[in-house]
Amino acid sequence: MADLQLKSIKKSYGSTQVINGVDIDIKDGEFVVFVGPSGCGKSTLLRMIAGLEDITGGELTIDGDVVNNLQPKERGIAMVFQSYAIFPHMTVRENVGFGLTVSGVPKSEKVRRVNEAAQVLQMEHLLERRPSQLSGGQRQRVAIGRAIVRDPKVFLFDEPLSNLDAALRMDMRMEISKLHKKLGATMIYVTHDQVEAMTLADKIVVLKDGEVQQIGSPMELFHNPANRFVAGFLGSPSMNFVSTEVISYDDTSITVGSEVLDAVTLPRNGRDVVVGDTLELGIRPQYLEPHHGDVKGALHGSVSLSERLGTETVLDVALLDGNKVIASISQDQQFEVGDKISLYFDVNRVHIF
Amino acid sequence: MLLFIVVPFILAIVFSLTNQRLMSPNAAEYVGLENYTNMLDLGVLVVDPVMDADGAILLDKNGDNQYPRLRKFTRNNPGYPDVKGMKEWFSFSWGEQKVAIMASDLVFMKALVNTFTFVAFVAPIQGALALVLALLINQPLRGIHIFRSIYFMPVVVSIVVVSLLWRFIYDGQNGLLNSALSTLTLGYFEPVNWLGNPDTALGSIMAMSIWQAVGFHMIIWLSGLQTISPTLYEAAKIEGASPWQTFRYVTWPGLRNTAVLVVIVITMQAFSLFAQIDVMTSGGPLDSTQTIVYQAVERGYGKQDISGGSAMSVVLFLIVLSISLLQRYLTREKN
Ligand SMILES: Nc1ncnc2c1ncn2[C@@H]1O[C@H](COP(=O)(O)OP(=O)(O)OP(=O)(O)O)[C@@H](O)[C@H]1O
Ligand SMILES: [Mg+2]
């Protein structure tokens, strides 16, 4: 168990800068999730923490010690890979005990610790099998077993569930969450799946193009996204953005409107604005309330697609100016394609960018 | 495909059972296994030392026992039909007596021993060397592909050309090897006629053969190395494996199938040693570099004894077959 600091960490391959100065503070026992779109540098960052990639610039400390130039084994970390990376010619027992074997732990102790790890992961019955005789979920369990048996200070996971099917992914997600509570260890988890990020994390780090966009608890990020990217990245379906023009303002409120939006008055929250400015409104699909017909005081458009899921209806709405928004209603409602529609929303739920 | 492999093979077996000769006017006759017995027959001759009238052993100038000449037993001696026409292969002392192993086809026996010696040295050394080179070359360093091409070059050049080249290197008077050695030792090194000396000829051919084909096997190893997932190496690194442990637990198990292939291919190539011998020594000096294939060719074409050559080929085939089967068995998947 340990805390971890990343201080203006940089990484470049030749002249291409992949990570541009990342600062993250990870507390002992915290579950931190790195999320971001493909290619944003999540894996690179994790692999630098693991010691699989050189750190081009900045400082990485684990438990107060600078570890930039230490080998992976000297950092007290364990890692679980997306492709499991378990040794195909070894039995599960040998795989789980591999770290102990190479560090010369006596046999009796090794047996004891492997059995312990197997018990934690409920895979005692698999110990004598070979990887080829295991399912994907079981293989990932073996990889996790190999990580926990060494009792590392920090666990690193690089998209450990991406190769599993949806149902299994949910099971394993819960298992990992339980494991974290049980071990109380520091864990860093990379994923591009926002559901994994929201459910597992104590703290989410949103990355884009090698830069941190925002760090915070899942709910902080969800309710107070720092920028449009974070707002659009978290939440499903993702947030709608509507361009509007400032019509008037006073000390506490701004009134905006556009071709598709009847003028609405929003809380100003100290924002600097001038009449005529363009403001981007972010509204989550769940907070849009559709009404049939053309009603005043709302977004106006027509239904271009309606998906009825039984407990939920997702509408694809084409606004009058041609832009699209998505509305998600938490009940079954019938809309026909082409229907005129008005979308209401609570002005306190709106994010301004 | 079948036609080209099976037909010559059956022909060889058929020929080996006859007394077919290349230019003979007489029709071939079926002679059964005579060719094989002529070739493989061994006899043991135990000879008492020469004694004087009192039964005391006569010693020669060096104080060793004296023995009668073996020819007395093998030529026109009805008392010893077993060793009729045979020659001494080797002998050793057994108490006062001398035990001589007699062979009906001495040259073939030498060829057999040479071939096995060649295989026993070349197969492991070449395989291991090729693996070491492959491991070195598999590093992600810049310009490493240049080394790959360099090591692979001798493989592309015809073995005959390579052999001719090495004849100059091994030359007794002013060969490259002798000059290099004498330069390195500041002139203390006595030039050796590498190919003309029965003690060094086979060794020289082994060294040259290892060098020539090592690049080929290196490429096979390399392709095997590249099938091992890089993530496995990363996992081993994270778990704290040393370079040797990584080799032992990740690389070597991952090369199992490649190893079987390399070993079988090297063994077969080594057993069929011919071109180097033909170009460099013609089996000499004193039959010290005779090999089975060289003998088979010489017998079959040089001496026009098709049936004898065929019989040798069949014997070689059986040897190679049994060795491959043995290797398959030894390297089988254990579960
Ligand atoms: N060895 C390399 N040489 C050059 N560029 C690299 C190298 N490895 C990664 N990159 C680049 O670094 C960037 C970040 O890659 P990284 O693998 O960290 O992305 P990621 O966030 O993990 O994406 P994904 O979700 O697809 O796994 C990418 O743009 C990639 O092209
Ligand atoms: Mg990745």
Side-chain angles (χ1 to χ4, degrees):
Chain A
M1 290 202 239
D3 47 70
L4 225 107
Q5 277 95 36
L6 282 74
K7 292 189 197 122
S8 52
I9 294 285
K10 292 193 180 71
K11 174 77 190 176
S12 44
Y13 292 105
S15 59
T16 27
Q17 188 96 2
V18 177
I19 303 285
N20 317 316
V22 163
D23 292 280
I24 306 173
D25 225 328
I26 298 169
K27 289 205 256 319
D28 187 17
E30 221 169 14
F31 199 119
V32 176
V33 175
F34 295 172
V35 282
S38 188
C40 69
K42 309 179 293 287
S43 300
T44 308
L45 201 53
L46 194 75
R47 291 164 56 82
M48 282 197 283
I49 297 172
L52 294 172
E53 300 277 354
D54 296 333
I55 297 173
T56 314
E59 205 170 73
L60 172 67
T61 59
I62 298 180
D63 246 356
D65 302 321
V66 177
V67 297
N68 282 35
N69 297 317
L70 294 189
Q71 287 293 309
K73 65 173 169 194
E74 298 161 321
R75 299 187 183 195
I77 47 109
M79 185 159 171
V80 176
F81 296 85
Q82 176 178 353
S83 56
Y84 321 131
I86 52 181
F87 304 113
H89 52 276
M90 293 182 193
T91 61
V92 169
R93 176 180 290 285
E94 288 163 340
N95 261 292
V96 172
F98 184 74
L100 305 177
T101 305
V102 296
S103 59
V105 170
K107 191 148 189 245
S108 58
E109 192 190 337
K110 188 163 83 182
V111 170
R112 184 178 58 77
R113 284 168 67 177
V114 169
N115 287 343
E116 249 172 49
Q119 201 182 353
V120 170
L121 295 166
Q122 291 153 24
M123 57 172 196
E124 290 120 311
H125 59 293
L126 302 177
L127 280 177
E128 308 312 326
R129 292 216 202 154
R130 292 197 172 254
S132 56
Q133 302 162 328
L134 300 178
S135 71
Q138 290 170 330
R139 285 179 206 192
Q140 199 53 288
R141 233 171 255 261
V142 174
I144 294 172
R146 186 173 63 190
I148 64 177
V149 80
R150 283 193 294 128
D151 202 11
K153 294 196 241 175
V154 182
F155 286 88
L156 307 175
F157 297 87
D158 192 353
E159 308 203 24
L161 310 184
S162 320
N163 285 359
L164 307 180
D165 65 55
L168 198 54
R169 206 182 294 177
M170 197 158 106
D171 285 352
M172 287 296 286
R173 200 172 72 209
M174 291 176 178
E175 294 251 349
I176 290 176
S177 183
K178 273 193 244 164
L179 192 68
H180 176 241
K181 295 210 172 68
K182 188 165 195 164
L183 302 175
T186 311
M187 295 189 174
I188 306 178
Y189 188 106
V190 163
T191 180
H192 56 245
D193 181 321
Q194 50 157 314
V195 179
E196 279 174 30
M198 299 292 281
T199 53
L200 287 171
D202 295 322
K203 187 149 116 187
I204 295 181
V205 177
V206 182
L207 291 163
K208 183 194 167 205
D209 298 337
E211 274 168 25
V212 173
Q213 301 295 308
Q214 193 175 3
I215 301 179
S217 73
M219 286 309 125
E220 249 171 82
L221 265 56
F222 189 80
H223 293 301
N224 299 309
N227 56 36
R228 209 190 129 147
F229 177 78
V230 177
F233 192 77
L234 295 179
S236 163
S238 59
M239 192 181 270
N240 299 304
F241 295 100
V242 182
S243 293
T244 58
E245 200 174 298
V246 177
I247 300 169
S248 66
Y249 62 96
D250 60 26
D251 286 351
T252 56
S253 63
I254 312 172
T255 303
V256 296
S258 78
E259 193 188 334
V260 295
L261 177 68
D262 295 332
V264 289
T265 303
L266 308 166
R268 179 167 168 190
N269 292 335
R271 180 180 286 270
D272 274 340
V273 285
V274 186
V275 172
D277 267 1
T278 303
L279 286 187
E280 197 100 38
L281 303 191
I283 314 163
R284 295 206 181 273
Q286 290 81 359
Y287 301 149
L288 284 174
E289 206 183 306
H291 288 271
H292 289 276
D294 244 341
V295 195
K296 252 194 122 27
L299 281 164
H300 300 286
S302 59
V303 175
S304 60
L305 185 70
S306 153
E307 291 178 306
R308 292 170 68 188
L309 304 173
T311 58
E312 185 184 11
T313 308
V314 180
L315 297 180
D316 230 17
V317 178
L319 298 179
L320 295 177
D321 63 358
N323 288 323
K324 277 195 169 178
V325 294
I326 292 175
S328 169
I329 318 158
S330 62
Q331 57 190 329
D332 191 28
Q333 255 188 50
Q334 201 173 345
F335 288 91
E336 294 301 326
V337 170
D339 278 2
K340 286 250 185 298
I341 191 171
S342 306
L343 301 161
Y344 283 97
F345 52 89
D346 176 355
V347 292
N348 294 309
R349 299 274 201 192
V350 172
H351 302 274
I352 307 177
F353 299 106
Chain B
M1 201 36 199
L2 216 64
L3 199 72
F4 285 107
I5 294 176
V6 175
V7 171
F9 181 66
I10 291 176
L11 270 181
I13 294 183
V14 170
F15 278 145
S16 72
L17 298 175
T18 67
N19 62 357
Q20 172 85 46
R21 302 188 75 88
L22 204 54
M23 310 272 256
S24 168
N26 306 328
E29 282 169 39
Y30 177 77
V31 294
L33 293 175
E34 196 182 297
N35 285 313
Y36 291 97
T37 51
N38 281 347
M39 196 164 69
L40 296 171
D41 236 15
L42 292 179
V44 181
L45 200 56
V46 181
V47 242
D48 292 322
V50 185
M51 300 182 207
D52 60 15
D54 314 332
I57 298 169
L58 287 178
L59 301 180
D60 63 10
K61 287 193 288 279
N62 300 329
D64 294 331
N65 291 354
Q66 279 188 41
Y67 296 96
R69 289 170 59 128
L70 297 178
R71 248 189 235 179
K72 275 182 24 195
F73 303 96
T74 57
R75 296 244 178 116
N76 305 321
N77 191 334
Y80 294 89
D82 284 355
V83 293
K84 184 164 174 284
M86 291 189 177
K87 291 190 181 131
E88 180 184 354
W89 184 10
F90 59 90
S91 62
F92 51 89
S93 307
W94 182 271
E96 289 181 347
Q97 292 170 323
K98 169 171 143 173
V99 179
I101 305 296
M102 311 297 287
S104 61
D105 188 342
L106 187 56
V107 179
F108 181 74
M109 284 303 153
K110 283 188 175 168
L112 206 61
V113 170
N114 286 339
T115 306
F116 272 96
T117 315
F118 185 83
V119 173
F121 279 95
V122 169
I125 297 179
Q126 194 172 61
L129 199 64
L131 176 58
V132 170
L133 287 179
L135 288 171
L136 289 178
I137 254 176
N138 197 31
Q139 323 259 345
L141 296 177
R142 239 186 298 168
I144 204 81
H145 57 275
I146 297 175
F147 285 93
R148 287 185 203 181
S149 326
I150 291 178
Y151 288 125
F152 197 64
M153 224 134 66
V155 181
V156 192
V157 180
S158 155
I159 179 73
V160 176
V161 177
V162 174
S163 302
L164 277 172
L165 230 112
W166 277 73
R167 248 169 70 177
F168 295 117
I169 293 177
Y170 281 146
D171 191 279
Q173 261 83 55
N174 39 23
L176 219 57
L177 184 59
N178 280 333
S179 329
L181 284 174
S182 84
T183 313
L184 281 178
T185 57
L186 306 169
Y188 282 111
F189 184 79
E190 288 288 320
V192 173
N193 186 358
W194 295 100
L195 295 174
N197 183 336
D199 294 332
T200 56
L202 189 62
S204 305
I205 290 184
M206 284 181 194
M208 172 265 175
S209 306
I210 290 172
W211 171 85
Q212 191 265 335
V214 79
F216 177 73
H217 299 292
M218 178 193 77
I219 297 288
I220 302 184
W221 282 124
L222 204 56
S223 70
L225 282 175
Q226 287 171 352
T227 62
I228 302 174
S229 154
T231 339
L232 288 185
Y233 287 107
E234 292 183 345
K237 203 170 163 194
I238 295 267
E239 296 295 308
S242 67
W244 163 245
Q245 286 168 329
T246 308
F247 178 78
R248 180 171 158 207
Y249 293 113
V250 182
T251 313
W252 185 243
L255 287 176
R256 254 189 53 98
N257 293 333
T258 316
V260 174
L261 177 71
V262 167
V263 166
I264 289 181
V265 170
I266 291 190
T267 313
M268 302 226 181
Q269 279 183 351
F271 267 115
S272 58
L273 171 64
F274 169 74
Q276 294 96 305
I277 305 291
D278 194 35
V279 175
M280 294 169 79
T281 62
S282 307
L286 296 177
D287 291 331
S288 64
T289 58
Q290 285 289 357
T291 65
I292 302 178
V293 177
Y294 186 75
Q295 263 301 298
V297 173
E298 202 187 46
R299 197 72 61 92
Y301 294 98
K303 299 196 174 135
Q304 312 200 332
D305 176 6
I306 284 288
S307 52
S310 298
M312 285 184 189
S313 313
V314 172
V315 167
L316 177 66
F317 170 76
L318 292 177
I319 293 173
V320 172
L321 182 71
S322 40
I323 287 187
S324 325
L325 289 179
L326 183 72
Q327 284 170 343
R328 281 282 295 273
Y329 176 75
L330 290 178
T331 55
R332 73 198 179 284
E333 200 83 46
K334 294 186 195 84
N335 243 336

